Amino acid sequence: MSDIATNVIVDGTLNTLIGASVVTWALILVKGVQHLRISYHHRNFSKRFWSAADIQAASQLPDQHGPAARVAGIGFSTLIETDSGASTHDLEHTWDRQELLDRRLRQQMQKERGSLESGLAVLATIGSISPFVGLFGTVWGIMGALTNISKSGSASLEVVAGPIGEALIATAVGIAVAVPAVIGYNFFIRRNKVIWAFLDDFAIDFVHLALKHGFVIERAGSKSANAAARLTEISAAKKPASKPLHDELIAKEAHA
């Protein structure tokens, strides 16, 4: 076993572990920012949603972001769709309104879950294999060191300690990479469970609210359009008769 091959393998192992460490901390930073934003959006949305006068007012809340807001948006659009009166003959609309609403909410929750879990598989993989990658570099380095020792014909402490000590660095680096990856993975898994429980409770409450209001919700602006149409009808009813009709009424009265 040549010194060049040993150095290349050990150095490659260390570079791989350093790259895995960079990926780990990048994912921890990205996921940390993601969870901070989700926590902020959930607090803001929950306060505004439950402070609304009714479900109609809640459906028109502006500038709402976050998983809960997107789940609510799917629910509102489903209620509007089922109340539009359009005839549909596909399998998706064979359920009643409540079943369709529940299905759409669950689908959106699964999408949000996929977004929350993105990147966690990488953290789990790095946390699992990094110690073994480091151990591989250590074993290879020790094999090279023992080969060189056998060639030199000396087994003194000065000859053995240096090469073997350098080889053990790979194991230490592997453990140093694995520890934050495992901690980050466990932390975000726990946070995901909290967010998922929040979304699940919110979806159940949303279905109950929709059931309470008969699964009926109007499109934004439909009330103003209906009011305008009503005003037009009233003004038309109050408008005086046209001149030809007026002349005809006068002629009938004169004839009488």
Side-chain angles (χ1 to χ4, degrees):
M1 183 182 301
S2 64
D3 293 340
I4 296 177
T6 300
N7 292 334
V8 167
I9 292 175
V10 174
D11 291 343
T13 301
L14 291 175
N15 291 333
T16 300
L17 292 173
I18 292 173
S21 179
V22 172
V23 172
T24 296
W25 286 108
L27 283 174
I28 290 175
L29 178 62
V30 171
K31 301 299 290 186
V33 172
Q34 181 189 29
H35 280 265
L36 286 176
R37 294 181 63 184
I38 289 174
S39 298
Y40 169 77
H41 290 319
H42 277 184
R43 288 194 301 269
N44 183 50
F45 176 76
S46 295
K47 181 179 179 180
R48 299 184 66 182
F49 182 88
W50 295 111
S51 298
D54 52 25
I55 194 172
Q56 182 70 37
S59 67
Q60 299 174 6
L61 293 175
D63 301 328
Q64 297 301 311
H65 306 282
R70 288 189 288 269
V71 170
I74 290 295
F76 290 134
S77 57
T78 302
L79 293 178
I80 293 173
E81 175 187 339
T82 55
D83 193 48
S84 62
S87 58
T88 53
H89 303 284
D90 54 2
L91 286 176
E92 186 178 13
H93 295 84
T94 55
W95 292 294
D96 58 24
R97 291 182 177 183
Q98 182 174 353
E99 291 173 339
L100 180 60
L101 176 61
D102 185 71
R103 180 174 181 270
R104 294 278 182 85
L105 293 177
R106 293 293 172 183
Q107 287 177 340
Q108 184 62 33
M109 289 171 63
Q110 290 297 332
K111 293 180 182 179
E112 299 299 335
R113 187 172 190 171
S115 175
L116 290 171
E117 292 180 349
S118 62
L120 295 185
V122 178
L123 286 179
T125 302
I126 292 175
S128 299
I129 69 173
S130 291
F132 298 102
V133 173
L135 184 61
F136 170 77
T138 295
V139 171
W140 198 276
I142 290 176
M143 289 173 58
L146 293 177
T147 301
N148 294 332
I149 290 172
S150 63
K151 290 180 180 179
S152 64
S154 175
S156 62
L157 182 62
E158 296 178 355
V159 176
V160 174
I164 293 180
E166 292 177 358
L168 291 174
I169 294 177
T171 298
V173 173
I175 295 173
V177 172
V179 169
V182 173
I183 293 176
Y185 174 80
N186 291 332
F187 174 79
F188 291 125
I189 284 292
R190 174 59 184 167
R191 288 294 307 163
N192 286 352
K193 290 181 179 179
V194 173
I195 295 173
W196 181 257
F198 176 85
L199 292 179
D200 190 62
D201 291 341
F202 177 76
I204 294 173
D205 292 339
F206 189 94
V207 173
H208 289 167
L209 282 174
L211 180 62
K212 181 179 179 181
H213 290 79
F215 298 99
V216 175
I217 189 172
E218 297 181 1
R219 294 180 183 272
S222 61
K223 286 187 175 180
S224 59
N226 293 337
R230 181 59 180 167
L231 288 175
T232 303
E233 293 176 359
I234 295 174
S235 61
K238 293 182 178 180
K239 187 176 181 181
S242 61
K243 190 175 187 304
L245 179 59
H246 182 68
D247 295 341
E248 183 179 351
L249 292 174
I250 294 176
K252 287 182 179 180
E253 290 178 359
H255 180 71

